[in-house]
Structure formats: C-alpha cells, structure tokens
Amino acid sequence: MDWRSVNFDWNRARAFLVTAEEGSLSAAARALGMTQPTLGRQVAALEEELGVILFDRAGRGLILTDSGARLVEHVRAMGEAAFAVSLAATGQATDLSGPVAITTTEIYASWLLPSVLKRLAGVAPGIRVEIVASNDIRDLKRREADIAIRNTRPEQPDLIAKRLAEDEAGFFASLSYLEQSRPLQEPDDLVHARMIGFDENAAFIAALNERGVPVTEDNFVLRSSSHLVHFELARKGLGVGICPVAFGNSDPSLHRVLPELSFRYPVWLVAHRELKKSPRVRLVWDMLADMLPAQLRAGKG
C-alpha cells in the first residue's frame, strides 16, 4: 500500500460519516458532543482535501451528493474497523460471545435489524442473535428476550429504556389500485376505499374516527395479524394499507396517499437493568441506539 496517498484526517472522515447518518450538522454535532461550527469546518476540510462536494442542502437538512454516497460506505467500514480496534484495545472483544435475543415487530425486524446485525457480525462474530419477530409485547422480566424495540415506554421499575426517535405511520397503495379506485384526495375518501386492517381492528378504527374519518368494520375487506402480510397485500394492489412512512417510501411499488393523515409514535429501546451489565448485550444495545435513529429518519420525504 502506498501510505503517502492516504491524505485525509480520520476525525474529518468521522465528522462526514456521522453527518451523513444524522442528516444535519446540528444533529451530528450533538451525537459527537462538539459544536456545530467545529463539525462544519471538519466536513468542509474533508471536502477540500478530497476535492469533492459531499452534501447538498435540502431545507434544514443535508443530502449526500453522488460523490458523497459513493464515499460513505467506505468511511462506514473505517468506522466499524475503528470500533473493533477500540474493543480489542480495552480487552472486551474476547468476552463478546454468546446469545442475545432481540424482540421487535415484524416490520422493524425485517427493515431495521439486518444492517445493524451486519455491522455487529463484523465487530463481534461470536455473538449469536435470535430475532423474535412478533407484534406482541414480550416479557423481558421472564427473559423472553434480552432487548426489545417497542413503541410504548415500559412501566416496570427494573427495566431501563431509551427513547430513540419518533416514527410516523402513513397510508400507502399501489399504482394499480389507485388507477382503478376513486380518487383519494381527502381523509373522508377512505370510506370508499378497500381498506386493509389488522386482526384486532377496533383501536385502529377508533383512531381514524377520532381524526374525523368515519370508517367502520365494513370498510376493511382484508385483515391480517401479520404486518408483513398487511404490507404485501397493499403492494399487490388489494387495497390501502398503513405502515411506517420511511418503510413505505423505500418501496417504489407503493405510493403514499393522504400524507396529511398520519400517526406519530415513539420508538423505545428496552432491556432488563441487570442484563445491560453483560458486555455482549451492552454492545448490541449500543449499536441499536447508534444506528436505528438514522434509519428511522431516512426516506421520510
């Protein structure tokens, strides 16, 4: 390797990576514990060193340029390597083996977890992860899982929780469905739509009624206890479904309808207080806390 050709500063590369993951200089500065002007100077200095523009402004946020998008994966790999070096230097890497069970919804399990687990495998390959993909709340006190990703804050005093972000659910339908259905221009138009619901639909209907949408059970021509089945039914043009906005926006076969009608809810990371003393559980917790907020924000345009 020609080391003389490596002519950029890792601290500047880290500033670029965190800014890309957080979506703005202010959020990245908070994540790194530095001032926004200092972070901005580091990113600008990296752009000057490399001779490329890494970000374009989009309102109050930043989006990667084509050059930035090509570079960010390489810098992310550098960050994972730096994390592994830090673990090895402190003697933690040898202790990071054994099982860790994570429970979350089907949507989050299939959408959010794979990228986290890919990074985890590169840092601590000895950790064996069990994914409990369920829309039911699992009991951490009875060790049904070690870590949970939930949309409600736990009330038990022996559980610890960290609020990661606020997610948003919206309505989506396929182009084929929209072409043959009545126009969906106002929330009231849902009373004429083929709605896809859940097995326990009463709370969903009540929430829509509270928002002024007079739907009833008769509007829900399809129902499923599986959120992934619900999503797939919408993809196949069978009706209007609801899912996390960033998740729905990531699928080009779906189109968001009635964007003014959405539901916001928190996302909590939860574990038993004693389990966080385990090095492997602590590592998985830290990775989830680090990566999930950016994933939940991505694609919410």
Side-chain angles (χ1 to χ4, degrees), residues 203-216:
F204 186 30
I205 293 174
L208 286 170
N209 293 164
E210 288 176 7
R211 299 287 295 273
V213 183
V215 293
T216 68

Side-chain angles (χ1 to χ4, degrees), residues 179-194:
E179 287 176 340
Q180 54 87 31
S181 70
R182 292 193 187 188
L184 295 176
Q185 298 175 341
E186 301 291 339
D188 282 358
D189 292 334
L190 286 179
V191 299
H192 304 297
R194 289 173 56 88

Side-chain angles (χ1 to χ4, degrees), residues 218-255:
D218 292 339
N219 295 104
F220 290 85
V221 296
L222 293 166
R223 296 194 302 174
S224 174
S225 61
S226 168
H227 291 191
L228 285 178
V229 170
H230 179 115
F231 179 74
E232 192 64 23
L233 292 172
R235 287 185 71 246
K236 292 296 192 292
L238 295 174
V240 178
I242 187 169
C243 69
V245 169
F247 181 62
N249 283 344
S250 69
D251 192 317
S253 69
L254 286 174
H255 298 261

Side-chain angles (χ1 to χ4, degrees), residues 1 11 14 34 38 107 113 116 123 153 178 199 206 271 288:
M1 178 181 290
N11 287 324
R14 183 183 67 162
M34 63 174 63
T38 299
I107 293 287
L113 291 187
V116 178
V123 172
R153 184 173 189 170
L178 294 174
D199 58 337
L288 290 166

Side-chain angles (χ1 to χ4, degrees), residues 284-296:
V284 176
W285 170 283
D286 287 343
M287 280 199 175
L288 290 166
D290 177 53
M291 296 181 66
L292 292 190
Q295 289 181 265
L296 287 163

